Amino acid sequence: MAFRRRTKSYPLFSQEFVIHNHADIGFCLVLCVLIGLMFEVTAKTAFLFILPQYNVSVPTADGETVHYHYGPKDLVTVLFYIFITIILHAVVQEYILDKISKRLHLSKVKHSKFNESGQLVVFHLSSVIWCFYVVVTEGYLTNPRSLWEDYPHVYLPFQVKFFYLCQLAYWLHAPPELYFQKVRKEEIPRQLQYICLYLVHIAGAYLFNLSRLGLVLLLLQYSTEFLFHTARLCYFADENNEKLFNAWAAAFGVTRLFILTLAVLAIGFGLARVENQAFDPEKGNFNTLLCSCGTGASTGASRAPSAECPPRPGWQPGSSRGSRVTTKTEW
């Protein structure tokens, strides 16, 4: 792992060298972009990596405000923040998770899942706080009609667009991290499944101009996921600690109900009554029956992506009385 003192050296640009130094390599690339800000010749290109692009002035009652829309240059910004995410991932792993796991003396299977949950707890907690702040300041909670009124929502406030770019950067960095972290082959299909689900839904909300609805749904989803991975970390610390799993099970049902209800309300009733019922990609309008059905079906069909929904640890699945067994379930 990056930032770690090593006694063994690897050949330059070999597979092991890249795995053990990927965060340092990313840090050098980020540093090159930041140095580019110091020179007038390269500053314009450096800003392309750091700041969201496609800003426009939108007239309001108080004057003008700067909003943003999406375009191909967003890929460059996302690429830059992928390297930022890789660096932060390595910092959390090196200075927090590795130190805790050494004290717990976990098995290889539990160690892999401990690292997974540890990283996701940090990400989900920061995302919930950030997303809640954006939703409150933009007034999406106090005015639920704003989730579908004036669709398509082509022009986004800075904090909304930056939030989506960072979300895409995090989930795009996740597949390479499976290789860098040397995740067990048995764990890769499950993790790739929820990574792809998050990417599809977040990118869909961003590209189909459903950013407001996507923010509220992500807030509900991330809250449940944070509780689940917190419960799993507590279980790894003490296998008798199962109370948080009960809380997560209750919260999971409630949040899924809210997500489905909100999706049906916004897509099935809100967007269905909007005047501009047309498919016009140039204007960012995807409000057609086919798109609405596809969006609603994908929201309803996808369960909690990273939650495995296993039985309670140490309890026999399918037992009517929940008889205690000696074998423990690996979470």
Side-chain angles (χ1 to χ4, degrees):
M1 181 51 59
F3 307 115
R4 184 177 300 172
R5 294 181 179 178
R6 309 175 191 86
T7 56
K8 185 177 180 180
S9 59
Y10 300 97
L12 191 64
F13 299 122
S14 64
Q15 181 179 4
E16 290 297 325
F17 177 85
V18 174
I19 291 175
H20 286 80
N21 298 277
H22 66 277
D24 297 319
I25 296 173
F27 179 78
C28 292
L29 295 176
V30 170
L31 191 60
C32 291
V33 175
L34 296 178
I35 292 176
L37 296 174
M38 302 172 60
F39 305 97
E40 186 177 356
V41 178
T42 57
K44 186 176 181 180
T45 304
F47 278 120
L48 184 66
F49 286 87
I50 299 173
L51 295 178
Q53 305 299 309
Y54 304 105
N55 57 314
V56 293
S57 297
V58 179
T60 61
D62 300 330
E64 291 185 349
T65 58
V66 178
H67 282 65
Y68 298 80
H69 60 91
Y70 63 78
K73 294 180 181 178
D74 289 343
L75 297 175
V76 179
T77 309
V78 170
L79 178 62
F80 175 78
Y81 285 99
I82 285 176
F83 290 113
I84 295 290
T85 307
I86 290 175
I87 297 170
L88 296 177
H89 187 113
V91 171
V92 172
Q93 184 69 43
E94 173 69 20
Y95 295 102
I96 300 177
L97 298 180
D98 285 351
K99 292 184 178 180
I100 297 175
S101 61
K102 287 180 181 179
R103 298 181 179 181
L104 296 178
H105 304 288
L106 302 173
S107 63
K108 290 184 178 179
V109 176
K110 287 186 176 181
H111 185 265
S112 175
K113 294 185 177 183
F114 177 85
N115 289 336
E116 176 194 2
S117 288
Q119 293 286 350
L120 289 175
V121 160
V122 175
F123 169 71
H124 287 314
L125 178 60
S126 58
S127 295
V128 165
I129 296 174
W130 189 3
C131 189
F132 181 76
Y133 174 80
V134 174
V135 168
V136 170
T137 55
E138 294 297 330
Y140 300 152
L141 289 183
T142 57
N143 184 19
R145 288 179 176 273
S146 63
L147 299 180
W148 60 81
E149 285 183 342
D150 300 325
Y151 180 84
H153 307 135
V154 178
Y155 300 113
L156 309 176
F158 172 83
Q159 59 181 353
V160 175
K161 176 166 183 174
F162 189 59
F163 176 83
Y164 271 97
L165 293 180
C166 291
Q167 291 293 313
L168 291 172
Y170 180 86
W171 292 112
L172 284 173
H173 110 283
E177 281 293 345
L178 299 180
Y179 169 75
F180 294 140
Q181 298 291 331
K182 296 183 178 180
V183 175
R184 297 169 60 248
K185 292 182 178 180
E186 295 81 2
E187 291 290 318
I188 292 179
R190 177 185 62 83
Q191 294 192 35
L192 281 178
Q193 180 186 14
Y194 72 75
I195 291 170
C196 292
L197 281 172
Y198 271 122
L199 279 174
V200 169
H201 285 80
I202 294 173
Y206 183 64
L207 297 176
F208 291 159
N209 297 313
L210 292 169
S211 56
R212 299 179 183 180
L213 178 62
L215 279 172
V216 179
L217 296 183
L218 278 177
L219 177 62
L220 295 172
Q221 176 65 28
Y222 282 165
S223 300
T224 308
E225 291 294 286
F226 169 73
L227 187 58
F228 170 76
H229 289 287
T230 302
R232 196 158 75 158
L233 289 178
C234 293
Y235 170 72
F236 290 142
D238 182 8
E239 293 187 354
N240 296 320
N241 191 348
E242 303 174 5
K243 294 181 179 179
L244 279 179
F245 283 117
N246 297 330
W248 164 75
F252 174 77
V254 173
T255 53
R256 291 306 296 176
L257 179 62
F258 271 106
I259 288 174
L260 292 176
T261 303
L262 185 58
V264 172
L265 178 64
I267 298 173
F269 293 94
L271 291 178
R273 297 181 180 180
V274 175
E275 295 181 357
N276 50 346
Q277 300 282 334
F279 181 78
D280 191 354
E282 293 184 0
K283 296 183 179 180
N285 189 359
F286 302 92
N287 190 15
T288 61
L289 179 61
L290 181 61
C291 293
S292 298
C293 291
T295 304
S298 64
T299 303
S302 59
R303 62 182 176 87
S306 60
E308 297 172 274
C309 300
R312 288 179 61 189
W315 292 83
Q316 179 64 45
S319 175
S320 59
R321 297 184 179 180
S323 57
R324 191 76 172 180
V325 293
T326 55
T327 59
K328 291 283 185 179
T329 303
E330 291 285 358
W331 285 70

